[in-house]
């Protein structure tokens, strides 16, 4: 019996050993790129998005709806947006381009289907709520931005301009205040997505919503959190949250670049954290703690899962390459990615929503821009070495032969 307990305890001790060794190695992760013409393609993201494509064909988006209130829309929208960023106007002759357009169209069709609308309430200030209208409008706009205007589909143009007009009319009728996501709640990040869609309209077409956007930004600036100076998480919560702050900092530069730089500085001040020498994004501001929920994902040692993943994209879009690369490599270590059959999946593929967000976050990080890192590798490696040494010592004491 004693020997059996030793074996069980030894197996238990192996887990932190594997963790420290694996994470130490992934700190040096560099994705593989292939050069095609003048463009370098991140093969890891291509493998990720093909895994997601396979998952969608198996109905995983519907399964995500059973876990998240907006799972079906979120999964399809993030998937489509990743394809939008994987290629650009100069890549439309690349073999990936045809596949990309087909998958973007499929995602647009899904989010505009009855299945996509089913969860949302139609009779709100903006039809189906700010979350639904923001993401579906933005996805369609990003598709238009991807292709040459001469090739725009009239149905896409009509749909996008109509949806933008509905959003703008709702803000005017609502005195430029936050629009509800549901009858039961209002989330500020959803409104940022709506405003990003309007800003995109004015880049693609003759500017029409400058005044609406400006007045909405004035309302946002007048209602910042008094403790941090940041945009609150929702109308019902006292403090901003890392999950929504990361998302807001992805899209705010498209709306108001000056205001975005100000918010980004405060975001880093209140949410950028270090754990064992490695950078991470908190879910709650420094000095405050809380537990995870459906918005944040897991919160461990104050670090938010969603906040840190989306934080990769926020950092990259603000050209904070060192922090973005460090966050990416930390997720590489913690996510235990598996590559098989030209597909890449994290957490052994059991939670594809995380895979979707990781692919979308990493597609904004061009490797040629990354020179330095924000991680303190030596601090973590020293801690890892000490931890593994302690485990080896415990093994030795436990299994040495008694005299």
């Amino acid at each position: 019996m004693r020997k059996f307990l030793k074996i069980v305890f030894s197996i238990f001790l192996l887990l932190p050993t594997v963790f420290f060794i694996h994470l130490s190695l992934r700190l040096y992760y560099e994705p593989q790129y292939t050069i095609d013409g003048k463009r370098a393609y991140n093969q890891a993201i291509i493998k990720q998005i093909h895994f997601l494509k396979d998952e969608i064909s198996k109905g995983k988006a519907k399964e995500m709806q059973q876990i998240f209130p907006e799972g079906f829309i979120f999964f399809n929208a993030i998937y489509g947006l990743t394809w939008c960023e994987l290629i650009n106007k100069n890549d439309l002759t690349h073999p990936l381009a045809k596949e990309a357009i087909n998958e973007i169209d499929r995602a647009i069709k899904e989010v505009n289907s009855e299945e996509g609308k089913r969860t949302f309430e139609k009779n709100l200030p903006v039809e189906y709520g700010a979350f639904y209208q923001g993401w579906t409008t933005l996805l369609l706009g990003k598709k238009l931005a991807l292709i040459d205007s001469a090739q725009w589909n009239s149905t896409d143009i009509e749909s996008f301009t109509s949806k933008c007009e509905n959003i703008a009319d709702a803000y005017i009728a609502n005195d430029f205040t936050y629009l509800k996501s549901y009858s039961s709640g209002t989330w500020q990040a959803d409104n940022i997505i709506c405003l990003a869609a309007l800003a995109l309209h004015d880049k693609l077409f003759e500017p029409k919503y400058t005044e609406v956007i400006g007045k909405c930004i004035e309302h946002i600036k007048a209602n910042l959190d008094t403790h941090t100076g940041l945009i609150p998480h929702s109308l019902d919560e006292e403090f901003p949250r890392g999950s929504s702050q990361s998302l807001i900092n992805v899209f705010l530069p498209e709306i108001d670049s000056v205001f975005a730089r100000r918010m980004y500085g405060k975001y880093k001040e209140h949410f950028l954290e270090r754990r064992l020498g490695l950078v991470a994004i908190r879910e709650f501001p420094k000095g405050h703690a809380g537990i995870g929920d459906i918005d944040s994902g897991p919160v461990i040692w104050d670090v938010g899962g969603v906040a840190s993943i989306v934080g990769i994209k926020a950092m990259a879009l603000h050209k904070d390459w060192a922090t973005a690369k460090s966050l990416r490599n930390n997720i590489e270590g913690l996510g235990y990615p598996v590559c098989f059959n030209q597909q890449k999946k994290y957490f052994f593929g059991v939670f594809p929503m995380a895979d979707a967000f990781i692919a979308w976050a990493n597609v904004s990080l061009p490797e040629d821009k990354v020179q330095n890192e924000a991680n303190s590798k030596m601090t973590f490696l020293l801690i890892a070495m000490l931890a593994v040494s302690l485990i080896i010592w415990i093994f030795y004491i436990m299994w040495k032969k008694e005299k």
Side-chain angles (χ1 to χ4, degrees):
M1 183 63 181
R2 183 179 177 185
K3 187 173 183 180
F4 173 75
L5 291 175
K6 280 186 177 183
I7 293 172
V8 171
F9 188 61
S10 297
I11 294 172
F12 177 77
L13 284 176
L14 281 174
L15 296 178
T17 306
V18 171
F19 167 79
F20 279 113
I21 293 174
H22 172 75
L23 185 50
S24 297
L25 293 173
R26 300 309 284 183
L27 293 181
Y28 296 90
Y29 167 76
E30 299 288 349
Q32 179 185 359
Y33 280 74
T34 56
I35 307 299
D36 195 331
K38 296 181 179 180
R39 181 80 184 275
Y41 289 90
N42 186 328
Q43 292 302 305
I45 294 176
I46 293 174
K47 290 176 182 178
Q48 283 179 261
I49 205 165
H50 282 146
F51 165 69
L52 294 170
K53 179 181 178 180
D54 191 43
E55 292 294 280
I56 285 178
S57 69
K58 296 175 182 176
K60 288 293 182 179
K62 293 181 180 179
E63 287 186 24
M64 292 299 100
Q65 187 60 47
Q66 307 304 314
I67 303 173
F68 300 98
E70 310 95 353
F72 183 85
I73 295 295
F74 238 154
F75 196 63
N76 278 292
I78 294 297
Y79 173 72
L81 289 171
T82 305
W83 275 112
C84 288
E85 292 188 48
L86 186 61
I87 61 173
N88 58 40
K89 284 187 175 181
N90 298 322
D91 298 334
L92 296 183
T93 58
H94 192 277
L96 272 176
K98 183 177 180 180
E99 182 182 9
I101 297 299
N102 288 339
E103 291 305 305
I104 293 165
D105 281 338
R106 179 165 75 163
I108 291 170
K109 181 180 178 180
E110 290 294 321
V111 299
N112 285 294
S113 68
E114 289 304 314
E115 180 76 27
K117 296 174 182 176
R118 185 176 301 165
T119 307
F120 303 93
E121 302 166 69
K122 185 174 182 179
N123 298 319
L124 291 172
V126 61
E127 198 172 55
Y128 297 109
F131 175 90
Y132 177 83
Q133 286 299 344
W135 285 104
T136 57
T137 306
L138 187 71
L139 175 59
L140 184 52
K142 291 291 185 180
K143 180 205 168 179
L144 293 175
L146 176 64
I147 59 181
D148 191 274
S149 59
Q151 299 177 344
W152 284 351
N153 183 298
S154 59
T155 302
D156 287 343
I157 297 173
E158 182 180 350
S159 178
F160 178 68
T161 55
S162 175
K163 287 166 78 68
C164 286
E165 189 170 353
N166 289 338
I167 291 172
D169 288 345
Y171 276 120
I172 293 170
N174 213 46
D175 199 23
F176 306 103
T177 60
Y178 289 116
L179 299 174
K180 288 187 174 183
S181 304
Y182 302 95
S183 61
S184 58
T186 302
W187 281 263
Q188 281 83 330
D190 297 340
N191 283 264
I192 295 297
I193 307 301
C194 287
L195 294 176
L198 295 185
L200 180 56
H201 173 281
D202 285 3
K203 292 174 184 176
L204 298 174
F205 301 93
E206 184 178 347
K208 183 178 180 181
Y209 300 117
T210 305
E211 184 177 357
V212 172
I213 294 170
K215 289 185 176 180
C216 288
I217 291 295
E218 287 177 11
H219 174 76
I220 292 171
K221 290 178 178 178
N223 291 275
L224 298 174
D225 171 56
T226 56
H227 300 281
T228 62
L230 287 163
I231 299 171
H233 181 69
S234 73
L235 294 188
D236 300 322
E237 295 201 36
E238 183 179 359
F239 298 108
R241 299 265 299 271
S243 50
S244 58
Q245 286 303 310
S246 292
L247 195 61
I248 286 169
N249 277 278
V250 168
F251 291 104
L252 198 55
E254 300 180 16
I255 304 166
D256 186 325
S257 59
V258 176
F259 183 45
R261 284 195 295 272
R262 175 181 152 198
M263 290 296 97
Y264 180 70
K266 292 184 178 294
Y267 163 65
K268 287 188 67 176
E269 175 188 350
H270 292 284
F271 288 92
L272 185 63
E273 189 62 275
R274 286 185 183 274
R275 291 289 182 255
L276 305 180
L278 307 182
V279 293
I281 306 297
R282 299 174 59 93
E283 178 57 25
F284 299 92
K286 292 175 181 177
H288 301 276
I291 59 175
D293 58 16
I294 203 70
D295 291 329
S296 68
V299 176
I300 302 172
W301 202 359
D302 297 327
V303 172
V306 172
S308 295
I309 292 172
V310 181
I312 299 170
K313 196 173 190 72
M315 300 293 176
L317 291 176
H318 284 268
K319 296 180 171 35
D320 193 343
W321 310 116
T323 310
K325 178 180 178 180
S326 295
L327 279 172
R328 181 201 66 192
N329 285 7
N330 298 343
I331 296 298
E332 282 291 316
L334 296 170
Y336 289 90
V338 176
C339 292
F340 178 73
N341 196 27
Q342 293 302 305
Q343 295 184 358
K344 182 178 182 180
K345 51 190 174 184
Y346 292 79
F347 306 105
F348 307 102
V350 299
F351 199 55
M353 183 68 85
D355 291 274
F357 273 95
I358 292 170
W360 180 60
N362 287 340
V363 77
S364 299
L365 187 58
E367 195 65 23
D368 61 338
K369 297 287 186 182
V370 181
Q371 303 297 329
N372 302 310
E373 291 189 53
N375 278 335
S376 177
K377 285 183 180 177
M378 293 309 298
T379 299
F380 179 81
L381 292 175
L382 178 60
I383 293 171
M385 184 176 66
L386 291 173
V388 172
S389 298
L390 177 61
I391 292 169
I392 292 173
W393 180 78
I394 293 173
F395 265 109
Y396 171 74
I397 295 297
M398 189 168 59
W399 287 100
K400 73 175 183 176
K401 291 183 180 180
E402 296 182 4
K403 292 184 181 181

